[in-house]
Amino acid sequence: SGPWTIDSAGNTYVRNKDLSYVLNLINDFGQISEIALNEKQTPEQIAIGPDGLIYAAFFGDYIHSNVCVAQFSKTGIQSKIWDIKSKYGSLFGLPKYGGGGVGGLACSGNNIYLAVMNNIYRLDVNGYAFNAKWERHGTISALATDSKGNIYIAYHGANNKSVVEKLDPNGTVLAQIGGSGPGQGNHLFPDGIAVDSSGNVFVADTDNHVIRKITPKVEVTTLGGTAGIAGISDGVGGSARFSSPQ
C-alpha cells in the first residue's frame, strides 16, 4: 500500500499528483486511465481488496475523526466508510487535515489493516467498526499482508532501533527482525515492505540504501545495493545503487 498499489491482475493504481482524489490506473500495456474518487479527500494510503474494490485511508472532515477508511467501487463511487472515532475516540497528535501519520493500509480476506502512528487497527469489511487495535513502541512506517493472512510491519523504536515484525491476524508476534537481531537484520531502517506469493518479504532499508530479502525461515540477505553507499544506477546485487529507497 501507499500512494500507489498493485492489484492481483498486475494493474497499478497511483495517486494523481495534481488532483489528489484522482487515481491513475496503469494496465500491463502501459495504458493510463483515471478513477475519480467521489470522496474528494487526499488518500494517504490506498489498497486493493481481494474483491477488486478500492480502499483508501484519508484524514476526515468535520463529520469524521482524524482518520477514516473508505471503500470505493472500481469506478470510484464510495460505498462504505469506517471512522476510527466510532470505536476508539478521536486520535490526538495528528493534524486535522492531512500531513502524515498514516503508515500503511493493507487488505487480506475480509480484514483491512490500518497503521496510524504507533497503532495497528483491524477492520472487518462486513462489519460496521474497527474491531481490534495493537500498539507498538515506535512509529509504524510500512505495512503489508501475505496470502496466509499474516501481517508485516516496519516501525522505528527507541534508541534508533528499527524492526520488521510478522504477526498473525490476531496480532500475535510470530517473528521479529532488527533491533538486536542477527546478521544483516541487525541495523535495519525500513520504510517500505512488500511480500511475494511465496512468503518472501522485501524491505526497503531506507537509511542503508539497500533492499533486503527476508525468507519465511527468517533468513536475511541483501538483494540489491551496498549498505551505506547511496546512488542511482542499475546493476545486479551489490553493484546496484539506491538512494533512500521506500
Side-chain angles (χ1 to χ4, degrees):
S1 68
W4 64 275
T5 191
I6 301 174
D7 67 16
S8 58
N11 298 306
T12 302
Y13 299 74
V14 182
R15 188 177 68 196
N16 187 292
K17 67 182 181 67
D18 296 318
L19 292 172
S20 59
Y21 59 88
V22 172
L23 304 182
N24 291 331
L25 172 60
I26 308 169
N27 66 19
D28 280 346
F29 301 101
Q31 298 169 323
I32 302 175
S33 57
E34 292 185 346
I35 302 172
L37 305 180
N38 69 339
E39 174 70 45
K40 294 187 177 181
Q41 299 283 340
T42 300
E44 297 291 320
Q45 301 280 336
I46 56 176
I48 307 300
D51 49 13
L53 298 178
I54 301 167
Y55 295 87
F58 58 89
F59 288 88
D61 51 27
Y62 289 107
I63 299 174
H64 305 111
S65 71
N66 301 84
V67 182
C68 306
V69 173
Q71 179 192 76
F72 296 89
S73 70
K74 297 177 183 180
T75 58
I77 304 301
Q78 180 184 302
S79 51
K80 292 182 181 180
I81 187 168
W82 299 273
D83 186 345
I84 287 180
K85 182 179 179 180
S86 64
K87 177 71 174 180
Y88 297 106
S90 295
L91 300 179
F92 297 99
L94 286 172
K96 189 173 181 64
Y97 302 105
V102 181
L105 181 71
C107 303
S108 179
N110 288 329
N111 290 324
I112 299 175
Y113 300 95
L114 171 69
V116 182
M117 297 178 70
N118 63 327
N119 293 307
I120 308 163
Y121 299 88
R122 187 184 67 194
L123 169 71
D124 184 336
V125 298
N126 296 317
Y128 296 96
F130 290 87
N131 56 29
K133 172 187 173 184
W134 307 302
E135 184 176 357
R136 287 295 172 267
H137 299 292
T139 302
I140 299 168
S141 58
L143 182 152
T145 55
D146 66 17
S147 59
K148 297 181 179 179
N150 297 308
I151 313 154
Y152 300 81
I153 60 169
Y155 66 90
H156 305 291
N159 301 318
N160 209 27
K161 291 183 178 179
S162 300
V163 300
V164 172
E165 282 186 349
K166 177 181 180 180
L167 299 83
D168 72 11
N170 295 312
T172 301
V173 177
L174 303 177
Q176 185 182 86
I177 304 95
S180 58
Q184 297 186 64
N186 192 32
H187 300 291
L188 290 174
F189 296 94
D191 268 339
I193 295 180
V195 187
D196 69 14
S197 58
S198 299
N200 295 302
V201 182
F202 301 89
V203 179
D205 193 347
T206 304
D207 287 4
N208 285 318
H209 310 295
V210 296
I211 306 298
R212 309 284 194 186
K213 178 182 178 181
I214 306 171
T215 69
K217 295 182 179 180
V218 199
E219 299 166 334
V220 183
T221 57
T222 299
L223 187 67
T226 299
I229 301 178
I232 302 175
S233 64
D234 294 337
V236 177
S239 65
R241 291 290 178 265
F242 302 95
S243 180
S244 301
Q246 297 184 350

